[in-house]
């Protein structure tokens, strides 16, 4: 399983949002570039960046993201505001390893399918679920798709991965979210990355045994230090080396 530390950007700052609410950000007063480098030093191979400003068409974080790509020495998986094939192609040309699309997949699925064919192993589908349906536009708009039906619409599309986020996990029973992600992971042959389920090292240890799940995204827990990145990386060493025990 691969650990994806996550940096969420708003106005050039590291933030965490509760259920995507940009009007109520929790701000972490840390340099995003230095934070990315610290993840590399801990052994991370991938960094996930979500650009909240880009969701409204604001490119104020573009130079910062380029700096991370050029100086941090880590593969970057970038999400936020991708609404056209041209923008996807632009950021891949800038050195991004993977592009994450969610809203675009709901609104213009043909563009996403074309992008996945043009850039094999570089397009990631985001499946954000709230109250049993897929949501878009920064988790603000409900669709008519169940998550299973949404995955079925992209059957055989060559995605690099699928990120599944159960937004209810912020407020509900985590066991229900684990069941949802396990179910969806069993319905696709594409590697699934779980998001929103890792608050403690125990959570990470359990996630390692989730069937069909190949990775986990972790953000807020690294910033509030409820999880130490080096301890987290120990859990995911190859062949079980250094695997943490449940506490």
């Amino acid at each position: 399983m691969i650990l994806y530390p996550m940096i969420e950007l708003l106005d050039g700052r590291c933030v965490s949002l509760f259920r995507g609410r940009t009007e109520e950000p929790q701000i972490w007063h840390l340099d995003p570039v230095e934070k990315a480098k610290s993840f590399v030093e801990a052994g991370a191979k991938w960094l996930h960046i979500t650009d909240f400003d880009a969701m409204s068409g604001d490119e104020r974080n573009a130079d910062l993201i380029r700096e991370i790509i050029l100086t941090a020495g880590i593969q970057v998986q970038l999400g936020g505001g991708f609404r056209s094939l041209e923008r996807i192609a632009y950021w891949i040309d800038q050195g991004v390893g993977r592009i994450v699309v969610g809203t675009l997949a709901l609104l213009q699925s043909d563009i996403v399918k074309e992008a996945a064919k043009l850039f094999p192993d570089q397009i990631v589908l985001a499946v954000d679920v709230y109250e049993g349906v897929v949501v878009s536009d920064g988790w603000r708009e409900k669709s008519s798709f169940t998550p299973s039906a949404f995955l079925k619409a992209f059957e055989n599309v060559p995605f690099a991965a699928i990120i599944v986020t159960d937004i209810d996990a912020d407020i509900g029973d985590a066991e229900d979210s684990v069941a949802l992600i396990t179910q969806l992971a069993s319905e696709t042959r594409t590697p699934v990355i779980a998001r929103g389920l890792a608050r403690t090292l125990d959570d990470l240890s359990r996630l390692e045994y989730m069937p069909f799940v190949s990775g986990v995204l972790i953000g807020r827990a690294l910033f509030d230090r409820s999880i130490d990145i080096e301890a987290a990386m120990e859990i995911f060493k190859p062949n079980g080396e250094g695997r943490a025990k449940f506490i």
Side-chain angles (χ1 to χ4, degrees):
M1 185 175 287
I2 299 173
L3 180 70
Y4 296 80
M6 178 169 58
I7 291 177
E8 298 172 297
L9 293 174
L10 185 66
D11 194 20
R13 298 175 293 185
C14 299
V15 301
S16 293
L17 304 183
F18 178 68
R19 293 170 62 190
R21 295 176 183 169
T22 56
E23 66 274 13
E24 300 175 7
Q26 183 173 5
I27 299 170
W28 308 101
H29 295 285
L30 299 164
D31 182 331
V33 177
E34 292 305 313
K35 194 63 180 175
K37 289 178 180 178
S38 75
F39 293 150
V40 176
E41 291 171 1
K45 304 300 182 184
W46 279 92
L47 170 68
H48 179 97
I49 297 176
T50 299
D51 184 353
F52 288 120
D53 291 296
M55 292 181 182
S56 59
D58 189 330
E59 296 287 348
R60 69 180 63 192
N61 298 315
D63 287 342
L64 178 58
I65 294 169
R66 276 191 287 267
E67 185 178 356
I68 291 173
I69 294 168
L70 291 172
T71 65
I74 191 171
Q75 288 267 50
V76 170
Q77 181 171 277
L78 177 63
F82 286 97
R83 300 290 188 268
S84 68
L85 186 61
E86 289 74 20
R87 187 165 184 267
I88 291 171
Y90 172 80
W91 276 106
I92 288 176
D93 188 56
Q94 294 296 303
V96 168
R98 293 177 182 168
I99 299 294
V100 181
V101 292
T103 299
L104 183 64
L106 276 167
L107 300 180
Q108 294 178 283
S109 61
D110 288 347
I111 292 178
V112 169
K113 291 175 182 178
E114 182 180 359
K117 292 177 182 177
L118 288 173
F119 306 107
D121 296 323
Q122 289 188 278
I123 306 300
V124 176
L125 178 67
V127 182
D128 300 325
V129 184
Y130 180 55
E131 296 183 341
V133 297
V134 178
V135 294
S136 64
D137 194 24
W139 302 351
R140 291 185 289 269
E141 298 293 331
K142 284 187 175 182
S143 76
S144 60
F145 280 97
T146 65
S148 292
F150 189 54
L151 285 183
K152 187 71 174 177
F154 291 95
E155 191 174 22
N156 299 322
V157 175
F159 292 121
I162 297 171
I163 297 173
V164 178
T165 306
D166 183 7
I167 300 162
D168 288 321
D170 260 351
I171 55 177
D173 188 347
E175 293 303 318
D176 291 340
S177 298
V178 169
L180 171 66
I181 292 174
T182 301
Q183 174 198 330
L184 295 179
S186 72
E187 295 174 0
T188 178
R189 289 175 291 178
T190 303
V192 166
I193 302 169
R195 180 183 179 187
L197 297 181
R199 299 183 181 92
T200 68
L201 286 176
D202 271 6
D203 290 338
L204 287 179
S205 293
R206 292 187 179 96
L207 287 169
E208 189 182 14
Y209 293 97
M210 285 179 66
F212 312 113
V213 174
S214 67
V216 56
L217 263 171
I218 179 171
R220 187 186 307 165
L222 295 177
F223 284 85
D224 67 16
R225 299 186 180 182
S226 56
I227 292 180
D228 176 77
I229 180 65
E230 293 183 356
M233 292 304 303
E234 282 291 312
I235 294 174
F236 297 118
K237 277 188 173 180
N239 303 318
E241 294 178 39
R243 181 175 293 158
K245 298 179 180 179
F246 296 148
I247 298 172

